[in-house]
Amino acid sequence: MLEVKDLKVSFGGLVALNLDTFSIRKNELRVIIGPNGAGKSTFMDIVCGKTKPQQGSVKFKGLELLGRKEVEIAKLGVGRKFQKPSIFSGLTVYDNLLLGLDGPKDVFTSYFYKLASYDKDRIVEVAEKVGLIDDLTMIAGSLSHGKKQWLEIAIVMLQDSELMLIDEPAAGMSDVEAEKTGNLLCDLSKKHSVIVIEHDMKFVEQIAIEKVSVLVRGQMLTEGTFQEVRNNQEVIDCYLGSANSAQQKAHS
Amino acid sequence: MLKNKIYIIFILVFALLMPIGYFTGLVPINTLTLWGRYFCLAIAALGVDLIWGYTGILSMTQALFFCMGAYGMGMYMTLSNLPEGQFLPSFMVWNQVTELPFFWVPFDNFSYALVLSILVPGVFAGVLGYFIFRKRIKGVYFAIITQAIALAMFLLFSRNETMLGGTNGLTDFKFFLGFDLRDTSVKFGLYILSLLALGLIYWYCHGLVNSKFGKALVAIRDSESRMRFTKYKVTHYSVAIFMIGAMIAAVGGMLYMPQTGIITPGRMDVQASIEMIIWVALGGRGKLKGAVVGALVLNLMYSVFTTVLPSSWLYILGGLFVITVLYLPKGIVGLVDQMKEKLNSMFVKTA
């Protein structure tokens, strides 16, 4: 599905990402964890075309993504949810979803757009799934932080992307909300490939039904099941810090 | 409720009371012509609101597009007002021009002039917009570039070699489509025409901002990157609304021309565009009502204050702008909502 090779990005001399290899299968749910500044979000930025790497290759369904524009990449089937909820705050929740809806998105189609009943059904269906069905007429900017996260996930869902890049979906959520989000993501991975970045270990445990990748200082430290990763001494060192941690090793 | 009230008041005053006042002799025709001109400026303000209020693009070329429409109409009127036996406008004769420049030729015909006056600003905006938006230039940088273009065009139109009358502009018209412009019934007709045009364009804009296209514009203002990752080609949308805004402004300019009887490059300088932005900011940006209310109220105030206290206008305008920025983020139109909210909260507190 997604294959990454020799990816290298640096910002002003500082190496942000130096990824030898990374790949995920179709309908896989992959969790990426790692300390702050490990390059997790940068990795997603590269895949969806926001950041240009210095070298490397990112292949999606056999097609090279590097060098393409955001819209092209999105059209190929890559959806992105940002760390900081990025929604259309001046529009109602319903209009947010309407814009997210998959279909032709050129100027003329939008100009002459008439709401079809199956489009409406689809919006209602997704709004029900993410728990925003009672908020459809609310202005998106006035939603709580957790609901903004759901709204952005809903926009990505409506696009029906084959690969979904979800950056910190549970940030700012209560335990109950986070659990709901976790179920939603597990459910999504039945039909889509999903990559999730997350810090909250409780949440990671819930959604790590498959592999977990650990990024440290731009490099892949280890990959494995949640149990393997949690018991890995290097990973523990990175998170808790020790005199001989991998973070410092990578640095030297 | 407020929504409909404001429309009813508007129609009542301008489509009923004013004409009645005119026919009974209570309202002089010049007052009507003045309002007719304000309507044209309000049309241009609607364009500003679409581009800036809804899409978030701060453009300084709106007055230029307004003038392009006015010049187009002016060229037609210049040619149709030539005295018998004269084939060139007088200013060309004075500049030793012997033949009508090629770009003047189609403006001899009213239908061509009509189409070209809208099309030329539209295409100009399209080309300009395409090259700027493609490079993802926005915000202050976009404002500065468009400001430079407005200035360049002002200088170009001011030159005699451009064959558009230089700094004197185009003026001295007696007839429009065979009607005598000094005739009060013709003036009244133009007033009604402007009112109708404002109504129609308002209705068009209303449909536009409530369509999926309109929502996409607001979405671009709120989060351009999210739009891109949701597969929308933001450049196309920005160019489209820039063109629509330009053509709307041109319509305003075309109607403005026969009512004012003169167009000079002074109308298209940077200051004129900034004034239009101030109208919308004061009226309430992001609301179509705001653009119309702002344009009408400020132009009325301009007329009143320049008569009563000629030197005070800029201070008053500046003062109003400061008040808007500090206390009325949603402009005059938003003030009503703000007051309602305050009353409500006061009521809740006491209860």
Side-chain angles (χ1 to χ4, degrees):
Chain A
M1 192 75 183
L2 185 76
E3 297 220 21
V4 177
K5 276 205 188 88
D6 298 327
L7 200 60
K8 199 168 178 183
V9 199
S10 56
F11 299 118
L14 181 81
V15 178
L17 196 61
N18 190 358
L19 211 53
D20 289 338
T21 169
F22 177 88
S23 67
I24 74 163
R25 288 177 294 106
K26 197 169 162 55
N27 297 355
E28 182 179 345
L29 196 161
R30 175 72 62 98
V31 185
I32 300 180
I33 60 171
N36 283 332
K40 306 182 297 291
S41 294
T42 307
F43 171 66
M44 283 193 174
D45 285 349
I46 291 168
V47 176
C48 70
K50 197 182 171 199
T51 305
K52 306 261 172 282
Q54 271 83 14
Q55 61 170 67
S57 109
V58 178
K59 286 219 166 87
F60 175 66
K61 294 192 290 184
L63 292 165
E64 181 63 56
L65 290 185
L66 298 183
R68 288 179 198 263
K69 289 202 166 146
E70 295 101 316
V71 178
E72 278 179 78
I73 293 175
K75 277 189 176 163
L76 286 174
V78 178
R80 169 85 192 262
K81 184 215 156 291
F82 291 91
Q83 186 170 353
K84 177 174 166 279
S86 154
I87 49 168
F88 311 126
S89 50
L91 294 171
T92 62
V93 170
Y94 180 85
D95 289 337
N96 267 269
L97 297 176
L98 179 70
L99 287 170
L101 200 64
D102 203 30
K105 302 209 164 156
D106 55 292
V107 172
F108 292 99
T109 323
S110 302
Y111 195 96
F112 297 108
Y113 180 80
K114 289 271 184 308
L115 185 68
S117 62
Y118 51 84
D119 282 352
K120 196 170 179 186
D121 293 347
R122 179 96 180 100
I123 291 173
V124 170
E125 184 196 327
V126 171
E128 248 164 15
K129 245 187 210 165
V130 299
L132 287 171
I133 193 74
D134 298 326
D135 304 305
L136 285 179
T137 53
M138 290 263 284
I139 296 292
S142 63
L143 290 176
S144 69
H145 191 75
K147 282 187 172 170
K148 279 184 189 161
Q149 300 267 41
W150 281 336
L151 178 58
E152 197 179 3
I153 294 173
I155 293 173
V156 177
M157 281 168 72
L158 279 163
Q159 265 175 271
D160 217 16
S161 307
E162 284 172 75
L163 174 65
M164 298 183 176
L165 308 169
I166 314 284
D167 202 342
E168 297 205 17
M173 283 188 180
S174 67
D175 287 354
V176 182
E177 286 175 322
E179 198 187 332
K180 249 175 101 181
T181 311
N183 289 336
L184 185 70
L185 291 174
C186 292
D187 198 37
L188 278 177
S189 72
K190 282 173 193 156
K191 283 184 187 156
H192 312 263
S193 306
V194 184
I195 302 180
V196 182
I197 291 177
E198 194 44 70
H199 276 300
D200 183 352
M201 276 304 153
K202 204 172 150 198
F203 182 72
V204 173
E205 188 172 7
Q206 187 199 346
I207 59 169
I209 44 179
E210 289 174 69
K211 265 193 197 167
V212 176
S213 303
V214 186
L215 264 183
V216 175
R217 290 234 164 223
Q219 290 177 336
M220 193 60 73
L221 186 69
T222 179
E223 281 184 347
T225 64
F226 182 71
Q227 286 308 323
E228 283 168 18
V229 167
R230 185 155 75 172
N231 297 326
N232 185 314
Q233 191 54 46
E234 278 184 307
V235 177
I236 297 170
D237 288 347
C238 277
Y239 269 94
L240 300 177
S242 84
N244 195 21
S245 76
Q247 199 163 359
Q248 273 144 4
K249 265 187 213 163
H251 190 49
S252 56
Chain B
M1 200 174 70
L2 170 89
K3 260 186 206 162
N4 295 327
K5 236 187 235 164
I6 207 167
Y7 293 138
I8 292 168
I9 292 172
F10 184 85
I11 293 170
L12 214 66
V13 171
F14 293 109
L16 221 65
L17 287 181
M18 292 284 259
I20 289 173
Y22 161 67
F23 283 119
T24 51
L26 290 171
V27 180
I29 187 66
N30 285 343
T31 310
L32 258 68
T33 301
L34 204 60
W35 280 101
R37 273 155 57 186
Y38 297 165
F39 295 154
C40 301
L41 296 170
I43 291 172
L46 281 172
V48 174
D49 205 14
L50 287 182
I51 298 172
W52 181 53
Y54 283 88
T55 323
I57 302 164
L58 187 56
S59 160
M60 300 280 182
T61 44
Q62 199 66 4
L64 170 67
F65 299 136
F66 180 84
C67 283
M68 282 182 159
Y71 264 96
M73 219 11 72
M75 283 157 82
Y76 161 73
M77 285 164 74
T78 307
L79 292 178
S80 64
N81 273 293
L82 288 180
E84 289 272 334
Q86 196 181 329
F87 301 103
L88 284 178
S90 316
F91 69 84
M92 287 189 194
V93 178
W94 299 329
N95 285 312
Q96 278 94 38
V97 176
T98 50
E99 208 179 322
L100 197 65
F102 73 95
F103 63 90
W104 273 79
V105 176
F107 287 91
D108 203 16
N109 178 307
F110 181 67
S111 347
Y112 287 163
L114 205 64
V115 173
L116 281 174
S117 302
I118 299 178
L119 221 55
V120 170
V123 171
F124 186 88
V127 174
L128 181 71
Y130 177 74
F131 283 108
I132 303 181
F133 292 127
R134 204 179 54 143
K135 289 272 164 226
R136 298 196 184 172
I137 293 166
K138 52 196 170 191
V140 182
Y141 303 99
F142 185 84
I144 291 171
I145 290 179
T146 49
Q147 200 168 332
I149 286 161
L151 182 65
M153 292 305 280
F154 166 73
L155 294 172
L156 181 72
F157 273 68
S158 300
R159 286 171 68 87
N160 282 334
E161 291 88 335
T162 316
M163 290 301 151
L164 286 168
T167 44
N168 296 328
L170 304 173
T171 185
D172 193 22
F173 312 119
K174 292 183 184 68
F175 298 97
F176 179 61
L177 282 174
F179 295 108
D180 190 338
L181 283 171
R182 286 160 301 180
D183 195 339
T184 48
S185 61
V186 173
K187 284 183 177 173
F188 179 70
L190 284 169
Y191 166 82
I192 293 294
L193 195 65
S194 305
L195 183 60
L196 275 177
L198 177 61
L200 276 175
I201 289 173
Y202 187 92
W203 180 66
Y204 166 78
C205 292
H206 187 76
L208 187 82
V209 298
N210 284 305
S211 72
K212 194 180 172 190
F213 178 74
K215 313 263 188 217
L217 298 179
V218 178
I220 289 171
R221 182 188 74 189
D222 288 347
S223 178
E224 204 179 309
S225 61
R226 161 66 33 215
M227 265 322 249
R228 287 213 164 87
F229 294 117
T230 318
K231 306 184 197 175
Y232 287 90
K233 289 195 167 153
V234 173
T235 310
H236 293 187
Y237 280 80
S238 308
V239 172
I241 196 60
F242 196 48
M243 285 174 76
I244 291 172
M247 290 192 280
I248 286 176
V251 172
M254 284 160 68
L255 280 161
Y256 186 79
M257 193 61 208
Q259 296 184 75
T260 325
I262 180 164
I263 184 74
T264 66
R267 264 262 153 221
M268 69 166 71
D269 65 0
V270 178
Q271 196 194 332
S273 284
I274 294 175
E275 265 173 29
M276 286 183 177
I277 288 161
I278 294 180
W279 300 339
V280 176
L282 279 171
R285 77 178 273 215
K287 285 230 165 84
L288 293 174
K289 272 175 286 175
V292 177
V293 169
L296 296 183
V297 168
L298 275 162
N299 277 295
L300 181 68
M301 285 176 75
Y302 172 79
S303 291
V304 171
F305 282 105
T306 42
T307 328
V308 184
L309 294 158
S311 55
S312 69
W313 173 242
L314 281 179
Y315 295 102
I316 290 167
L317 186 66
L320 279 173
F321 195 62
V322 170
I323 290 171
T324 311
V325 171
L326 288 180
Y327 302 109
L328 307 171
K330 286 172 188 161
I332 299 170
V333 174
L335 178 68
V336 184
D337 294 339
Q338 262 176 305
M339 278 181 359
K340 229 185 222 170
E341 245 167 61
K342 212 159 225 177
L343 277 177
N344 274 344
S345 65
M346 264 164 67
F347 184 73
V348 170
K349 258 180 219 160
T350 49

